[in-house]
Amino acid sequence: MNNKATLGVIIGNRDFFPDRLVSEARTDIIALFDKLNINSIMLNEQESKLGGVETFRDAQRCADLFKKHQDDISGIIVFLPNFGDERGVAETIKLSGLTVPVLVQAYPDELNKLDVARRRDSWCGKISVCNNFYQYGIKYTLTNSHVVHPSSAQFNEDILNFVAVCRVVKGLRRVRIGAVGARPGGFNTVRYSEKILQRNGISVTTVDLSEILGNANKLTKDDAEVKAHLDKVLAYASAGKTPDEALVQIAKLDVVLSHFMQENALDATAIQCWTSLQKNYGCNVCTSMSIMSENMLPSACEVDVTGTLTMYAMQLASGSPSALVDWNNNYADDENKCVLFHCGNWAKSFLPDIEISNAPILGTTVGVENTYGALSGRTPASPLTYGRISTDDPKGVIKAYFGEGNLTDDALNTFGNRAVAQIPDLQGLMQYVCRNGFEHHVVMNASKTAGILKEALGNYMGWEIYQHK
């Protein structure tokens, strides 16, 4: 997540306002982008008057510049140091052909500088620009305050959140997910529409689990790749009481999954586990999934494709790993707390006491000796963003919900991957989840990014989004 963002910049201008405001804005923008480590693509002072956009010819020049950098530009920011030319700004984006997120900023006036030489009227100009965007069908994002100076801490937060929105939109429009194996027969809850996903730019590549296991069984403990992956596994987590033969099985499977991802240029995976893997191969795939998720290649169990899509969206928003969890248990009689749980494949970031173990619940039916590879660990207190993306096949849409809360250090005496979540109006959230047909799987991320996700997925992707307050 260290890729440097590149944003197109439009500095709006209007001829009967002071031109020096445009020059001052240009200086502000260069300093801001340098401070935040963001690349800018904007007209120079020789390509238009002071590098601003005012006339249709300016719009053409700026649009041509954006076209040349279309593969790099993930978003556009419109700066209004004065009223700006609403048509020039809208025409620039229209002519560029870019469909990236757009942020609209407007400078504040100062009460002692409302004379002809210094007045901006950006407050009013921003409304006009947004009105034109609305007419042109251009999606746009607003700053938290109607007018805000680029040097302010508030705008620093606005622009960093906008960069995250751009990252989510760009990532989801080209994401490739691998579906490994068939959906477990007892899990209707993870059914999804591959066609609806594809209409939104989300590609799913499938492979039969037998191919993966067949290729893994062709490997031996003496193969160089197996040894290398075994070293990787042991460096990642304590082996605990996991037998050597189980560790070799885990490493062999890890080799084959890595090949599958590389050959298909995948960004994420959803893997069949319950219970074919244990019965036909003799271990859990949780450790490999955890390693992938920690390395920003999220992996969800039970072939939960929209679950791993949610993981990917959340990591794009936050820059940190996500984990697939179950809304699993009440926490005593506290109506705003619950237990989050899975066998466990959570990324290492959530598990400071991580250890390779087994899956006791699954072991009751397939034998505990066939479930090594599950991880054990407790997630400590941290910020929490939770949510879920789902295809609603009867409606033919993608829908999602997101919200924020906290993970706590409350006592929790159980096994597997586990956490206690505190969420305002948790009972109301559960009512919403149940009434709207969402899955029992949810995704957690150690961040506060629900607003970013709502803006990216609702405004720009056009999905039905509910943000729980």
Side-chain angles (χ1 to χ4, degrees):
M1 304 304 295
N2 294 321
N3 293 338
K4 193 173 181 179
T6 297
L7 301 178
V9 173
I10 301 172
I11 305 175
N13 190 22
R14 204 153 200 167
D15 57 2
F16 45 80
F17 285 89
D19 286 337
R20 68 167 176 263
L21 297 176
V22 176
S23 295
E24 292 171 4
R26 186 179 184 83
T27 301
D28 292 338
I29 294 163
I30 291 171
L32 174 66
F33 277 47
D34 183 60
K35 173 187 174 183
L36 299 179
N37 195 31
I38 299 171
N39 291 322
S40 64
I41 304 295
M42 59 179 166
L43 292 173
N44 63 43
E45 293 171 300
Q46 287 71 50
E47 291 172 308
S48 68
K49 186 172 66 175
L50 304 175
V53 172
E54 183 176 351
T55 67
F56 183 71
R57 183 63 184 138
D58 294 339
Q60 288 177 311
R61 290 191 184 104
C62 193
D64 288 343
L65 178 65
F66 287 177
K67 285 179 185 178
K68 291 178 183 177
H69 298 274
Q70 61 183 346
D71 291 338
D72 301 316
I73 294 174
S74 59
I76 295 170
I77 301 187
V78 176
F79 288 92
L80 297 175
N82 59 36
F83 191 98
D85 188 279
E86 60 204 61
R87 294 172 303 169
V89 170
E91 289 287 2
T92 298
I93 296 174
K94 176 186 175 183
L95 292 171
S96 75
L98 297 182
T99 56
V100 296
V102 178
L103 177 66
V104 187
Q105 178 272 354
Y107 273 73
D109 269 305
E110 298 174 61
L111 281 178
N112 62 346
K113 295 180 181 179
L114 289 175
D115 56 319
V116 174
R118 292 295 306 181
R119 69 181 296 132
R120 298 179 182 274
D121 290 7
S122 305
W123 179 290
C124 189
K126 180 175 179 177
I127 299 170
S128 292
V129 167
C130 292
N131 173 271
N132 275 255
F133 283 169
Y134 188 86
Q135 291 185 48
Y136 280 63
I138 296 169
K139 299 292 186 181
Y140 53 93
T141 296
L142 302 174
T143 52
N144 280 304
S145 293
H146 185 65
V147 291
V148 59
H149 198 281
S151 64
S152 69
Q154 185 181 65
F155 186 69
N156 276 221
E157 183 179 352
D158 283 333
I159 195 171
L160 290 175
N161 285 343
F162 178 69
V163 167
V165 168
C166 295
R167 202 164 54 227
V168 174
V169 173
K170 184 176 182 179
L172 292 190
R173 283 176 174 168
R174 60 177 66 176
V175 63
R176 293 176 55 79
I177 299 173
V180 181
R183 169 184 57 81
F187 282 80
N188 277 0
T189 187
V190 297
R191 291 197 285 193
Y192 70 98
S193 171
E194 192 174 330
K195 293 180 180 180
I196 294 175
L197 293 181
Q198 191 64 71
R199 279 289 183 98
N200 287 267
I202 300 157
S203 301
V204 179
T205 298
T206 62
V207 64
D208 196 274
L209 185 61
S210 64
E211 292 184 38
I212 299 295
L213 300 186
N215 288 331
N217 281 325
K218 293 175 183 177
L219 300 172
T220 72
K221 63 181 177 61
D222 298 319
D223 290 327
E225 270 195 301
V226 174
K227 289 180 179 179
H229 280 250
L230 179 57
D231 290 342
K232 179 182 75 172
V233 168
L234 293 174
Y236 182 76
S238 167
K241 297 180 181 179
T242 306
D244 290 345
E245 56 271 23
L247 291 169
V248 171
Q249 288 291 88
I250 294 167
K252 288 161 59 178
L253 189 57
D254 195 63
V255 169
V256 176
L257 288 171
S258 295
H259 287 174
F260 173 64
M261 292 199 71
Q262 292 166 9
E263 289 165 3
N264 292 281
L266 301 177
D267 302 294
T269 51
I271 302 175
Q272 180 181 357
C273 177
W274 195 292
T275 56
S276 180
L277 196 62
Q278 294 76 18
K279 290 179 177 178
N280 296 299
Y281 188 70
C283 75
N284 268 37
V285 70
C286 300
T287 301
S288 293
M289 297 170 75
S290 175
I291 293 172
M292 287 189 282
S293 294
E294 183 70 17
N295 290 324
M296 310 302 270
L297 297 168
S299 189
C301 49
E302 293 149 11
V303 202
D304 188 352
V305 168
T306 50
T308 202
L309 176 63
T310 313
M311 294 172 70
Y312 189 66
M314 283 194 178
Q315 81 172 31
L316 289 171
S318 68
S320 63
S322 305
L324 187 79
V325 310
D326 283 352
W327 289 118
N328 214 70
N329 313 89
N330 59 292
Y331 189 80
D333 57 358
D334 192 324
E335 294 209 334
N336 286 322
K337 289 182 182 178
C338 67
V339 176
L340 306 177
F341 175 84
H342 239 169
C343 296
N345 61 351
W346 299 356
K348 188 176 182 177
S349 294
F350 294 96
L351 306 171
D353 57 343
I354 190 172
E355 181 181 80
I356 301 173
S357 184
N358 51 45
I361 295 176
L362 186 56
T364 60
T365 58
V366 301
V368 172
E369 68 279 4
N370 293 313
T371 68
Y372 283 102
L375 297 173
S376 179
R378 167 68 194 270
T379 302
S382 70
L384 170 66
T385 293
Y386 60 84
R388 174 78 204 193
I389 298 170
S390 181
T391 57
D392 191 322
D393 298 23
K395 292 182 179 179
V397 300
I398 298 179
K399 64 184 181 183
Y401 68 88
F402 297 101
E404 296 175 353
N406 290 286
L407 298 178
T408 75
D409 286 328
D410 289 301
L412 183 62
N413 183 23
T414 188
F415 50 85
N417 291 175
R418 53 207 185 271
V420 175
Q422 184 173 32
I423 296 170
D425 188 25
L426 177 59
Q427 300 305 310
L429 174 63
M430 291 299 101
Q431 290 276 328
Y432 183 86
V433 168
C434 290
R435 289 192 182 279
N436 288 278
F438 280 98
E439 298 81 352
H440 70 281
H441 288 167
V442 65
V443 173
M444 67 175 182
N445 189 280
S447 66
K448 297 284 188 177
T449 51
I452 292 169
L453 290 158
K454 180 181 180 182
E455 180 71 7
L457 305 186
N459 189 13
Y460 293 105
M461 299 298 289
W463 301 350
E464 294 185 2
I465 308 297
Y466 166 72
Q467 184 176 357
H468 186 66
K469 297 292 186 179

